[in-house]
Amino acid sequence: MFDIPLNHFKSAFAYEFFIAPSDRNYFFARFAKIYGIDEEFWWQAQQTIEKLFKAGLILNGVSVKNGYNHDIEKLWSKHKKIFGDLAVTNLRKPHELDACYWTDLPVESFIARVNQMGHPDSRYGLLSYSNHEDDLFKFDQLSFELRRRTVGLDWIVGDDFPDDRLAEFYGQPYRNVIVQRPEHQIRSMKTPKGSITVTGEDLEDVIHSWNFPYSRNDADWKRPAPPSVAPKIPGFGNSYLYLLWNKLKDIELTELAIEQVEWLLGSIKIGRDAEEEFKKLIRMAPSH
């Protein structure tokens, strides 16, 4: 874990801390939009965009530890400054989409709408929301483009980790990949698998299936349940942060490991207690 190059460590941590969670937000945002759960769409959309902005920034030398919180307009301003001519500053109507479903407005207008309607206060019904016909299409495009930029622009392809899909770019900076491969995602996206009819034929069935207090009829109890409802072997998962901390306790800290942890502490807000535990381990290192 700590014997990999610094950029590889940064990439892995950005994925675990921001990109994988943003993929889950993206899935739920599309689910909510498709099934008309509008307030949840805006909340999940804001979370998706926020995490992708932050991933791109920390991998290009910008700390997101302080000063941003959930404000994606501030993050977008920083994104423009850092990414320059490779920043996402324009959304274009997909060729396959009918013109009646698209409005040519500046990207900042869409980001401002997501920032407002996906604000944490929206979860409590304190903010109004409105929908436009192109909201989903713009959200898809913005998320796709930001996700393509979750890599160090000047990292050299093939230096820190191999990628056979980009063999022709070995020795070149990743900015060349972004320009020359507009369809390419740096990382594949993991999405949930399974039938959406597992609870029944209607979205309402999600509430009533295998729900004993909210009883509707016996059929809801008798329907076969997937293993995820009541697993014989309950699942669990350790956070990537915990795994890093636990690993640090068991190794002799090298200068590379200390550099990796110091980058982590300087770039991302991880909580006061967790930060102090990492600092304590660094202070105990022989070289400090």
Side-chain angles (χ1 to χ4, degrees):
M1 186 175 289
F2 290 103
D3 58 353
I4 58 177
L6 179 58
N7 286 345
H8 193 167
F9 176 88
K10 293 179 180 180
S11 180
F13 196 88
Y15 174 79
E16 296 289 344
F17 212 73
F18 290 119
I19 301 164
S22 80
D23 287 347
R24 293 191 289 271
N25 292 134
Y26 180 70
F27 174 87
F28 285 115
R30 295 199 98 248
F31 181 91
K33 184 65 175 175
I34 290 167
Y35 286 102
I37 312 170
D38 296 299
E39 297 93 336
E40 188 64 20
F41 164 71
W42 289 110
W43 167 249
Q44 296 288 348
Q46 191 278 340
Q47 289 289 298
T48 303
I49 294 168
E50 175 190 339
K51 292 181 177 74
L52 291 175
F53 271 136
K54 288 181 175 178
L57 288 173
I58 66 170
L59 295 179
N60 284 279
V62 177
S63 171
V64 297
K65 186 175 180 178
N66 299 302
Y68 297 104
N69 292 323
H70 303 291
D71 192 331
I72 61 173
E73 289 183 274
K74 285 185 178 179
L75 289 165
W76 183 64
S77 294
K78 194 66 173 180
H79 166 84
K80 288 190 297 181
K81 181 178 180 180
I82 297 301
F83 281 75
D85 59 355
L86 289 184
V88 183
T89 57
N90 190 28
L91 299 177
R92 295 182 175 86
K93 183 187 80 66
H95 178 72
E96 300 83 359
L97 183 67
D98 193 295
C100 68
Y101 297 112
W102 188 268
T103 52
D104 286 318
L105 294 173
V107 65
E108 56 261 32
S109 67
F110 180 68
I111 290 176
R113 291 184 67 234
V114 177
N115 203 41
Q116 178 186 9
M117 290 182 279
H119 189 278
D121 284 350
S122 69
R123 291 176 292 173
Y124 306 105
L126 301 177
L127 298 175
S128 301
Y129 71 88
S130 63
N131 294 327
H132 294 169
E133 289 181 311
D134 56 3
D135 287 332
L136 181 60
F137 310 121
K138 287 183 174 178
F139 170 61
D140 286 338
Q141 188 173 141
L142 179 60
S143 300
F144 183 85
E145 290 300 333
L146 290 178
R147 199 177 186 281
R148 292 201 322 115
R149 289 157 173 80
T150 55
V151 69
L153 294 180
D154 294 314
W155 293 2
I156 302 302
V157 182
D159 270 16
D160 297 306
F161 37 82
D163 188 343
D164 293 339
R165 299 172 303 163
L166 299 177
E168 65 182 281
F169 289 94
Y170 274 19
Q172 302 180 40
Y174 271 96
R175 63 174 63 247
N176 291 5
V177 177
I178 293 171
V179 172
Q180 297 176 38
R181 288 270 194 95
E183 80 294 342
H184 182 76
Q185 280 289 349
I186 299 298
R187 303 166 184 81
S188 60
M189 177 183 288
K190 294 181 180 178
T191 56
K193 301 291 191 297
S195 171
I196 60 173
T197 62
V198 68
T199 60
E201 297 180 353
D202 192 274
L203 192 59
E204 184 183 21
D205 295 326
V206 171
I207 291 295
H208 295 286
S209 296
W210 318 290
N211 193 335
F212 299 101
Y214 286 89
S215 175
R216 183 175 58 176
N217 56 57
D218 291 354
D220 287 326
W221 309 336
K222 295 176 180 178
R223 181 180 293 117
S228 56
V229 171
K232 292 186 180 297
I233 303 177
F236 65 92
N238 288 316
S239 74
Y240 199 61
L241 198 63
Y242 168 77
L243 294 175
L244 288 171
W245 174 78
N246 205 44
K247 182 70 173 179
L248 277 173
K249 294 193 305 177
D250 298 333
I251 65 172
E252 182 177 340
L253 288 184
T254 63
E255 288 298 326
L256 176 59
I258 293 172
E259 184 180 11
Q260 291 170 341
V261 174
E262 288 178 340
W263 169 82
L264 168 65
L265 298 180
S267 299
I268 304 167
K269 184 183 295 185
I270 63 172
R272 185 177 300 172
D273 291 342
E275 184 169 329
E276 182 53 38
E277 287 298 319
F278 277 101
K279 287 181 177 178
K280 187 185 303 181
L281 290 175
I282 291 177
R283 288 196 296 267
M284 294 170 59
S287 58
H288 272 58

